[in-house]
């Protein structure tokens, strides 16, 4: 193990859209591989053809690309020394059958011919006898049709007649199975709790249990990182490695904690209703017709999504929360992955995006906002695209209170269209003869300015208010409402500066005309 090159694989089954838990598994594997200058492989585990979903593989590849979690070997990312990387294609290499035959030859696996009706009947029998976990095991196999209970001749006859069969692992009775998990430490399970897992079917297609072990051995995988749901089958996997005589080739295991619902009550579901997506990209499930919204399409930055995911179950041991991919690679270790489930926090997820939004330059934000703005303005008569510096100015002002670029239009609409209505509460409270007169003199005062910067506008605003015996604070919000229609928004005088002198004066004059003095 000492000298083994660090090689981790992400091995999803293309049975649906890759949800964020899957992306986290890929991320942790990627971080560890990169930290140790190792390899990161994408292997597609498509042995269960009945669960194969069209488009899932492409979806997985596109999601990883969007997140910047790029394998250096594997499906969609270029072949390495262990191609092919799709298990359905690897089957043709004959490797799965070879390993299964080896297990049969050494007496650690056997053929089973039971039909699904016979298996059902067994289950019912065991349930009726109140057996807690009905399973095919060292006891029940004795009453079934397999190469342990049948004579050699009978087995041969069934085989030549082409009777469908499966190869099952012969799990010993009452044996202690111990293994070490990097996250959980030592795990001890009695073999009584492990069933005789199906390893291979008569068409030569392996199940996950055999296929991933063969591939992890053949691909020289050093660490197998996967979800907690695989922990119960790990003891069977330990036995397979042992029976193959490949214990020293076994990767170190790391079972990641579950991602829990925001209230901590159970596993996070892909139908979670927090309003935050569960999938990296939009996903349409062809079988059920369901649509799932993606982080990308919601307006999340991939860096924010990745940063948030890294914090779900891992912590750096410091108070630092914002990590670039490079920083994550540097800081990551399995020792700091928690054993217990990680609560998903929708608000925190948005907060991460906000942090990244604030870190973007105005030019970068303008680049992202421009197409959205074009889309809006093209439907509005008499509007033209504003200048680049104007768009950047809007981004600078609205970003503070936004989580997403796609909120900029709604929160900054008045930068592009003069208001048609005015916040009713503010008008009711603040609009009177005196304040209307103030707005009128303010427009006149602004006209006298040669340059119109925020400090100048603010200065003359105060002077004008005081000259009329009004405390500036009393009319500040009213001024805002005359400009934008809205009671809240970015820094007032910055907003005025960006709108520009002429536009500000025009809006004040319109307000005086439109808003009736009570
Ligand atoms: N194909 C398995 C899954 O999709 C992979 C588990 C593993 O990484 O071993 O969950």
């Amino acid at each position: 193990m000492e000298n083994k090159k660090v090689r981790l694989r992400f091995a999803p089954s293309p049975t649906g859209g890759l949800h964020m838990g899957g992306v986290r598994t890929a991320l942790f594997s990627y971080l560890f591989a990169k930290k140790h200058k190792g390899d990161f492989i994408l292997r597609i585990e498509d042995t269960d053809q009945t669960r194969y979903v069209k488009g899932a593989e492409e979806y997985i590849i596109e999601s990883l690309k969007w997140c910047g979690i790029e394998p250096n070997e594997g499906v969609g990312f270029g072949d390495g020394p262990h191609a092919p990387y799709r298990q359905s294609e690897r089957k043709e290499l004959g490797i799965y059958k070879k390993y299964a035959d080896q297990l049969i030859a050494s007496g650690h696996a056997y053929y089973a011919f039971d039909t699904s009706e016979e298996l059902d009947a067994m289950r019912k029998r065991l349930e009726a006898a109140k057996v807690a976990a009905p399973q095919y095991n060292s006891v029940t196999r004795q009453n079934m049709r397999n190469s342990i209970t049948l004579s050699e001749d009978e087995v041969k006859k069934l085989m030549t007649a082409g009777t469908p069969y499966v190869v099952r692992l012969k799990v010993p009775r009452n044996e202690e199975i111990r293994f070490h998990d990097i996250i959980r430490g030592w795990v001890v399970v009695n073999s009584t709790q492990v069933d005789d897992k199906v390893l291979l079917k008569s068409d030569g297609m392996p199940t996950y249990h055999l296929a991933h072990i063969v591939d992890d051995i053949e691909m020289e995988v050093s660490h197998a990182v996967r979800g907690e749901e695989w922990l119960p089958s790990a003891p069977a996997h330990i036995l397979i490695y042992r029976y193959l005589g490949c214990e020293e080739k076994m990767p170190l295991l790391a079972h990641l904690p579950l991602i829990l619902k925001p209230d901590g009550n159970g596993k996070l579901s892909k139908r979670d209703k927090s309003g935050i997506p569960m999938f990296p990209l939009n996903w349409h499930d062809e079988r059920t017709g369901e649509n799932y919204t993606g982080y990308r399409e919601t307006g999340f930055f991939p860096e924010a999504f990745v940063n948030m995911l890294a914090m779900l179950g891992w912590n750096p041991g410091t108070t630092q929360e914002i990590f670039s991919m490079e920083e994550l690679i540097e800081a990551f270790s399995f020792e700091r992955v928690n054993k217990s489930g990680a609560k998903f926090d929708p608000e925190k997820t948005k907060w991460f995006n906000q942090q990244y939004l604030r870190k973007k330059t105005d030019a970068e934000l303008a680049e992202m906002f421009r197409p959205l703005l074009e889309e809006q303005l093209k439907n509005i008569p008499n509007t033209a695209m504003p200048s680049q510096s104007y768009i950047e100015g809007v981004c600078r002002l609205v970003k503070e209170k936004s989580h997403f670029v796609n909120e900029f239009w709604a929160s900054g609409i008045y930068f592009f269209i003069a208001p048609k209505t005015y916040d009713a509460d503010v008008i009711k409270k603040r609009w009177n003869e005196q304040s209307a007169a103030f707005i009128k003199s303010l427009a006149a005062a602004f006209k006298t300015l040669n340059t119109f910067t925020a400090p100048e506008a603010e200065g003359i605003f105060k002077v004008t208010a005081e000259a009329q015996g009004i405390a500036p604070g009393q009319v500040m919000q009213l001024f805002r409402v005359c400009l934008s229609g809205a009671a809240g928004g970015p820094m007032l005088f910055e907003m005025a500066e960006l709108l520009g002198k002429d536009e500000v004066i025009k809006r004040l004059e319109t307000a005086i005309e439109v808003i009736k003095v009570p």
Side-chain angles (χ1 to χ4, degrees):
M1 193 65 229
E2 298 296 298
N3 303 318
K4 205 166 172 181
K5 173 150 197 224
V6 169
R7 282 171 62 77
L8 285 90
R9 83 303 192 276
F10 177 49
S13 302
T15 52
L18 176 65
H19 57 85
M20 60 186 226
V23 183
R24 187 190 60 168
T25 304
L27 174 65
F28 285 9
S29 305
Y30 172 84
L31 295 176
F32 188 84
K34 292 291 144 189
K35 175 164 182 153
H36 297 277
K37 312 262 176 286
D39 299 324
F40 177 57
I41 306 160
L42 175 63
R43 182 172 75 216
I44 298 291
E45 302 206 323
D46 58 349
T47 54
D48 190 351
Q49 296 286 327
T50 58
R51 296 182 62 218
Y52 184 84
V53 171
K54 221 173 108 238
E57 188 181 297
E58 291 76 8
Y59 182 89
I60 291 165
I61 295 168
E62 201 186 334
S63 300
L64 293 180
K65 284 189 177 156
W66 181 67
C67 295
I69 305 172
E70 298 236 354
N72 47 319
E73 260 172 58
V75 178
F77 293 90
D79 281 348
H82 295 287
Y85 291 88
R86 237 180 240 110
Q87 288 184 329
S88 56
E89 292 170 31
R90 296 179 66 73
K91 179 191 159 212
E92 306 308 319
L93 306 176
I95 45 175
Y96 304 125
K97 174 123 185 10
K98 187 183 95 186
Y99 281 86
D101 286 347
Q102 187 190 326
L103 288 171
I104 290 175
S106 62
H108 292 299
Y110 60 93
Y111 298 109
F113 301 92
D114 317 283
T115 61
S116 51
E117 291 75 33
E118 287 165 339
L119 290 169
D120 269 354
M122 169 189 86
R123 211 164 296 127
K124 286 204 182 102
R125 226 172 29 242
L126 294 174
E127 273 164 12
K130 302 262 181 297
V131 174
Q135 56 185 8
Y136 209 115
N137 59 20
S138 58
V139 177
T140 53
R141 72 165 86 104
Q142 298 302 336
N143 298 316
M144 305 302 285
R145 288 198 306 133
N146 50 52
S147 56
I148 296 170
T149 57
L150 301 171
S151 73
E152 221 172 287
D153 265 4
E154 280 172 307
V155 171
K156 250 189 215 139
K157 230 185 268 163
L158 287 168
M159 296 291 256
T160 27
T163 316
Y165 67 86
V166 295
V167 174
R168 282 185 184 271
L169 178 68
K170 193 173 167 194
V171 176
R173 192 170 189 172
N174 199 16
E175 206 175 273
E176 205 167 74
I177 307 169
R178 286 165 65 82
F179 63 96
H180 190 264
D181 181 285
I182 318 176
I183 296 169
R184 285 146 214 278
W186 283 100
V187 180
V188 185
V189 180
N190 189 285
S191 65
T192 315
Q193 291 172 37
V194 183
D195 64 328
D196 285 3
K197 295 220 178 302
V198 174
L199 302 177
L200 194 89
K201 306 197 182 131
S202 30
D203 59 4
M205 198 55 115
T207 60
Y208 161 71
H209 303 294
L210 178 66
H212 91 277
I213 289 177
V214 170
D215 286 340
D216 282 352
I217 294 172
E218 294 278 323
M219 294 181 171
E220 301 174 85
V221 168
S222 62
H223 297 72
V225 181
R226 58 190 181 186
E228 188 178 284
E229 67 274 19
W230 291 110
L231 195 57
S233 16
H237 303 157
I238 304 295
L239 292 178
I240 300 175
Y241 278 105
R242 187 181 301 164
Y243 297 154
L244 287 172
C246 286
E247 267 173 305
E248 81 291 352
K249 290 191 183 155
M250 188 176 124
L252 297 178
L253 296 178
H255 288 92
L256 300 181
L258 291 177
I259 302 180
L260 304 175
K261 288 184 190 153
D263 62 7
N265 242 330
K267 195 174 153 186
L268 186 67
S269 124
K270 61 182 177 186
R271 293 188 186 80
D272 180 78
K273 294 275 177 287
S274 63
I276 302 291
M278 295 293 115
F279 286 81
L281 320 176
N282 275 359
W283 169 249
H284 170 71
D285 191 320
E286 279 197 1
R287 291 162 311 175
T288 61
E290 282 168 303
N291 286 309
Y292 297 95
T293 315
Y295 275 85
R296 180 178 65 185
E297 290 77 3
T298 305
F300 280 89
F301 300 119
E303 314 91 280
F305 174 57
V306 163
N307 195 154
M308 176 282 291
L309 270 187
M311 295 305 195
L312 274 183
W314 172 80
N315 71 80
T318 65
T319 52
Q320 185 179 346
E321 288 188 284
I322 301 299
F323 284 84
S324 66
M325 190 69 100
E326 286 67 37
E327 289 170 320
L328 285 174
I329 291 171
E330 180 65 33
F332 186 78
S333 76
F334 284 113
E335 281 69 39
R336 300 213 72 91
V337 174
N338 301 331
K339 286 193 198 54
S340 50
K343 260 192 238 169
F344 176 64
D345 184 341
E347 280 314 309
K348 190 79 187 190
T349 303
K350 281 166 69 180
W351 176 87
F352 273 110
N353 210 59
Q354 187 177 45
Q355 302 310 304
Y356 281 87
L357 185 87
R358 289 183 181 164
K359 287 205 311 190
K360 301 266 180 219
T361 65
D362 299 335
E364 285 170 325
L365 292 173
E367 179 87 1
M368 291 181 252
F369 180 42
R370 180 175 279 276
L372 308 179
L373 184 59
E374 259 163 15
E375 193 55 35
Q376 292 292 343
L377 291 182
K378 80 171 189 230
N379 303 320
I380 303 168
N382 305 323
T383 50
M385 265 312 264
S387 69
Q388 175 68 14
S389 66
Y390 190 82
I391 301 175
E392 286 181 20
V394 174
C395 292
R396 177 168 49 83
L397 293 182
V398 298
K399 76 175 172 194
E400 280 311 308
K401 289 189 177 152
S402 305
H403 289 94
F404 302 102
V405 172
N406 59 26
E407 291 169 346
F408 287 6
W409 168 255
S411 53
I413 186 166
Y414 47 81
F415 282 112
F416 310 100
I417 314 168
K420 294 197 177 58
T421 57
Y422 300 89
D423 185 278
D425 287 344
V426 176
I427 296 302
K428 192 165 170 231
K429 198 161 151 215
R430 298 283 181 204
W431 193 258
N432 51 42
E433 247 166 77
Q434 190 193 25
S435 62
F438 163 73
I439 294 293
K440 209 170 184 170
S441 359
L442 185 63
F446 282 159
K447 280 184 190 160
T448 66
L449 289 176
N450 291 325
T451 52
F452 192 74
T453 62
E456 283 166 307
E458 186 169 6
I460 207 157
F461 177 92
K462 283 189 176 146
V463 171
T464 311
E466 276 153 14
Q468 301 199 355
I470 303 174
Q474 293 285 305
V475 276
M476 201 92 104
Q477 206 184 16
L478 189 63
F479 175 44
R480 177 188 288 286
V481 167
C482 291
L483 294 186
S484 70
M491 286 167 301
L492 179 55
F493 295 100
E494 297 283 331
M495 177 173 126
E497 177 183 324
L498 184 63
L499 282 167
K501 179 177 148 181
D502 293 348
E503 184 65 22
V504 165
I505 293 168
K506 204 160 103 192
R507 289 189 183 190
L508 293 183
E509 286 172 347
T510 308
I512 295 160
E513 257 175 56
V514 174
I515 309 170
K516 301 281 166 285
V517 177

